[in-house]
Amino acid sequence: ARPSGHSCSSPEICWALPDTSHISHDDLTSQVGEVLLYYCYCEVKDPEKLCTWQKALCQHLHLTGKVRVASEGINGTVGGSKVATSLYIKVMLSQPLFKNILCQEDFKSSAGGAHCFPDLRVGVFKEIVPMGIDPKIVSYKETGIHLSPQEFHREVEQYLSRASQGQSDTILLDCRNFYESKIGRFQGCLAPDIRKFSYFPSYVDENLELFKDKRVLMYCTGGIRCERGSAYLRSKAVCREVYQLKGGIHKYLEEFPDGFYRGKLFVFDDRYAICSNEDIISACRYCGVLWDQYKLCSSQHCRQLVLTCLSCCNKGLTACCPVCQEKELKVTSRASGQTLKEECECTRRRPRVPIENLSPRMLDTGK
């Protein structure tokens, strides 16, 4: 079913912070903890107020991470001790703004803690996930049909069976970025070679014929990109139907750790990836050995991620491409102190929006 969001007038924000006087400082700040991932689409009358409260709540519980607030809802990934994250969930569920919309199962958790993020960043934005399309034009209220992990698993199973016989009318679509799908993805998926989710609408526009009369099964990390991505795809009125994995890969792996998703799950914090199965589906950029542990390019002014194995690292091969590896980047500074980063081979050789030619070789349906 499609969620209707919170359509009535937005409730007032409760400013209360949880009582932590009975909790020791060590328990509240323990390095052994978890990282929470969640989102909630609802109408927020005063995003600035919600932002201020959210920042105070996270600081009170010694949580780090990123929280995006907008008039369309909230999207967060925060890390801290298990005591702190448990309290955070309890307070979020009691916040009148999220009442009857947000529930316990909407919080995806993985082993980690406050150390997984460099700091706490809470801000107000136009969108809670940056797709670059005004929420008033393409709303989360027009999303695809949500499938539970069990339903999605059955759909993928049927899709792979039909695809192997060349009979599929379905596209299994990964709406994440290329560096995410490179280290882990569903078998038989179409994984767009895009660098940012904000390129996704252009990708759909440029490849509209691909989706004509198709059933589309979409997935992403935690479900949020599918909410707006599926709404955008549906707005084009070319697909037969659009479905999405509720709770994303996170929830699927909780129930099917050895299912149709193979490899690591990329996460946007200092861990880079979390593991549910032993498969390695990506390779070292330099020698080609199986490898799926990302590092930042060693060139100071490049933010690309690179897959370089221990052996190649020891040989000094630590950059994303020869341009970064072989020369010192010349960086000019603006008067404001901002730096201009030089574009490297990685960004130059990749089309901003790839045009697909969907052939059997693209969809590896084997395990």
Side-chain angles (χ1 to χ4, degrees):
R2 295 187 178 97
S4 60
H6 203 64
S7 55
C8 59
S9 60
S10 178
E12 282 301 313
I13 294 162
C14 172
W15 290 94
L17 297 177
D19 177 20
T20 55
S21 59
H22 60 292
I23 302 168
S24 74
H25 184 265
D26 287 349
D27 283 346
L28 208 54
T29 59
S30 170
Q31 288 292 296
V32 180
E34 60 186 359
V35 170
L36 298 178
L37 177 69
Y38 74 94
Y39 66 89
C40 179
Y41 276 105
C42 59
E43 290 178 14
V44 180
K45 195 161 55 180
D46 194 337
E48 292 289 349
K49 266 188 184 178
L50 179 59
C51 180
T52 302
W53 171 75
Q54 187 63 211
K55 191 172 183 180
L57 174 62
C58 290
Q59 288 173 337
H60 183 67
L61 296 175
H62 301 273
L63 299 175
T64 59
K66 304 169 194 170
V67 181
R68 292 175 68 98
V69 175
S71 57
E72 63 172 359
I74 187 169
N75 172 21
T77 174
V78 295
S81 71
K82 289 208 171 184
V83 170
T85 53
S86 176
L87 268 173
Y88 182 80
I89 293 172
K90 188 177 178 183
V91 172
M92 290 293 285
L93 293 177
S94 65
Q95 173 60 257
L97 200 58
F98 310 131
K99 205 82 171 172
N100 303 322
I101 313 171
L102 195 62
C103 60
Q104 182 82 34
E105 68 173 21
D106 291 324
F107 291 87
K108 280 77 72 172
S109 67
S110 55
H115 60 277
C116 294
F117 302 91
D119 50 25
L120 171 68
R121 296 179 188 180
V122 185
V124 175
F125 299 85
K126 191 163 189 174
E127 305 169 277
I128 60 172
V129 63
M131 190 170 78
I133 303 286
D134 192 319
K136 293 187 180 75
I137 296 171
V138 176
S139 169
Y140 65 88
K141 295 175 185 178
E142 302 302 322
T143 189
I145 295 171
H146 291 73
L147 298 178
S148 69
Q150 297 96 328
E151 290 169 330
F152 196 83
H153 184 79
R154 284 197 298 272
E155 283 283 350
V156 174
E157 190 170 38
Q158 289 171 16
Y159 158 70
L160 291 174
S161 174
R162 290 183 193 133
S164 66
Q165 299 163 33
Q167 301 174 343
S168 186
D169 61 349
T170 300
I171 292 176
L172 177 56
L173 182 64
D174 191 323
C175 16
R176 300 173 302 157
N177 307 324
F178 77 90
Y179 52 86
E180 299 174 79
S181 58
K182 183 183 276 189
I183 63 168
R185 57 186 178 269
F186 274 94
Q187 294 165 58
C189 76
L190 171 61
D193 191 19
I194 54 174
R195 192 160 175 245
K196 297 179 180 178
F197 183 58
S198 56
Y199 297 171
F200 183 78
S202 298
Y203 174 82
V204 169
D205 294 348
E206 293 292 333
N207 293 281
L208 213 51
E209 196 61 30
L210 186 70
F211 299 105
K212 195 172 180 183
D213 299 324
K214 297 287 187 185
R215 296 172 75 252
V216 179
L217 300 172
M218 297 176 73
Y219 70 88
C220 60
T221 306
I224 187 168
R225 281 178 279 187
C226 284
E227 301 283 11
R228 294 288 306 290
S230 66
Y232 188 81
L233 192 52
R234 289 188 71 242
S235 75
K236 297 296 166 180
V238 296
C239 301
R240 236 176 54 219
E241 193 53 90
V242 180
Y243 300 91
Q244 65 193 75
L245 173 56
K246 188 179 182 191
I249 303 162
H250 244 293
K251 284 293 181 186
Y252 178 85
L253 290 178
E254 283 179 15
E255 298 193 41
F256 301 98
D258 204 34
F260 296 117
Y261 185 90
R262 310 312 301 168
K264 299 276 199 305
L265 172 59
F266 185 93
V267 288
F268 290 90
D269 58 57
D270 290 350
R271 297 170 299 172
Y272 291 131
I274 52 181
C275 178
S276 77
N277 57 67
E278 298 303 311
D279 284 10
I280 300 176
I281 66 166
S282 50
C284 171
R285 191 236 186 277
Y286 289 97
C287 72
V289 70
L290 288 174
W291 192 257
D292 60 8
Q293 294 176 40
Y294 275 123
K295 289 184 184 298
L296 274 177
C297 174
S298 56
S299 175
Q300 187 182 350
H301 306 289
C302 179
R303 301 301 295 168
Q304 298 278 349
L305 289 165
V306 59
L307 292 169
T308 176
C309 70
L310 292 175
S311 176
C312 289
C313 272
N314 291 336
K315 292 174 186 171
L317 300 170
T318 53
C320 64
C321 66
V323 171
C324 281
Q325 190 67 51
E326 291 167 14
K327 70 175 189 177
E328 189 67 35
L329 291 180
K330 305 294 181 188
V331 178
T332 55
S333 295
R334 294 182 193 270
S336 65
Q338 278 187 308
T339 59
L340 292 169
K341 65 181 180 184
E342 185 174 324
E343 190 181 54
C344 71
E345 184 183 302
C346 295
T347 52
R348 275 204 304 266
R349 73 183 180 198
R350 175 175 294 106
R352 186 177 180 274
V353 180
I355 309 298
E356 303 288 12
N357 176 22
L358 197 58
S359 60
R361 66 174 178 80
M362 289 182 60
L363 303 179
D364 175 18
T365 56
K367 192 149 185 174

